[in-house]
Amino acid sequence: MNFDRIDRQILSLLQEDGRMTNVELAERVGLTAPPCLRRVRALEEAGAIRGYHATLDPVTLGYSITVFALVSLKSQAESDLAAFERHVADIPEIRECHMLNGEIDFILKIVAADLKSFQEMLTTKLTTASNVASVKTSLTIRTSKSLPGIPVPDA
């Protein structure tokens, strides 16, 4: 799909504030409300907009630590990779799972209330998963940048 300047503006603005009303969005991109809504619906149908969500504060909700885990598997057969992905999908503390190219197979972003709960999840749910060869973890000290979504060029 080719995105014109207005489409890119819509994407950028909605990525910043998904609760923006259609009327406000239309004003900001220089359209009236009906054609703006048609464009938003077309962007949704094309898959450019996959959904809307609230960004929650983990500390306020009791998740005081964030950990990144580098996971190596014993086998990289497609069925084993898929089985691992299904396994981590069922662990709510694992918020992101990315398959990597190279020495490490997956990187996971994990949240936990404290070190004890993280260690329990690690030793009972992650390292015990079939096909896991090793898990190396790093606790975050601070987060200096965390932007949602992707950059929208020429928005």
Side-chain angles (χ1 to χ4, degrees), residues 71-77 80-82 84-85 103-106 129-134:
V71 180
S72 294
L73 302 181
K74 297 171 190 169
S75 164
Q76 289 73 34
D80 293 325
L81 296 169
F84 179 77
E85 290 171 325
E103 194 174 318
I104 303 298
D105 295 308
F106 289 93
S130 65
N131 198 35
V132 170
S134 70

Side-chain angles (χ1 to χ4, degrees), residues 11 34 59 65 92 103 128 145-146:
L11 292 169
V59 174
I65 64 171
E103 194 174 318
T128 58
K145 184 175 183 178
S146 178

Side-chain angles (χ1 to χ4, degrees), residues 26-155:
E27 286 175 7
R28 296 204 37 202
V29 299
L31 295 175
T32 59
C36 184
L37 184 58
R38 282 193 296 274
R39 282 179 177 255
V40 170
R41 295 284 185 253
L43 290 165
E44 290 170 347
E45 289 171 15
I49 299 174
R50 296 193 319 198
Y52 302 88
H53 69 276
T55 302
L56 307 180
D57 180 61
V59 174
T60 300
L61 295 168
Y63 294 97
S64 62
I65 64 171
T66 300
V67 179
F68 287 92
L70 302 173
V71 180
S72 294
L73 302 181
K74 297 171 190 169
S75 164
Q76 289 73 34
E78 185 57 38
S79 60
D80 293 325
L81 296 169
F84 179 77
E85 290 171 325
R86 285 191 304 275
H87 177 76
V88 299
D90 292 333
I91 303 173
E93 296 89 352
I94 298 176
R95 304 310 299 166
E96 295 180 24
C97 174
H98 304 272
M99 186 187 303
L100 303 178
N101 175 12
E103 194 174 318
I104 303 298
D105 295 308
F106 289 93
I107 185 168
L108 310 176
K109 179 181 177 185
I110 304 168
V111 296
D114 51 38
L115 285 173
K116 182 179 178 187
S117 61
F118 167 69
Q119 181 181 5
E120 182 178 326
M121 185 281 305
L122 180 69
T123 58
T124 64
K125 296 178 182 176
L126 187 56
T127 58
T128 58
S130 65
N131 198 35
V132 170
S134 70
V135 178
K136 296 177 184 176
T137 61
S138 293
L139 276 66
T140 60
I141 302 299
R142 70 173 163 243
T143 300
S144 59
K145 184 175 183 178
S146 178
L147 297 176
I150 59 167
V152 181
D154 302 316

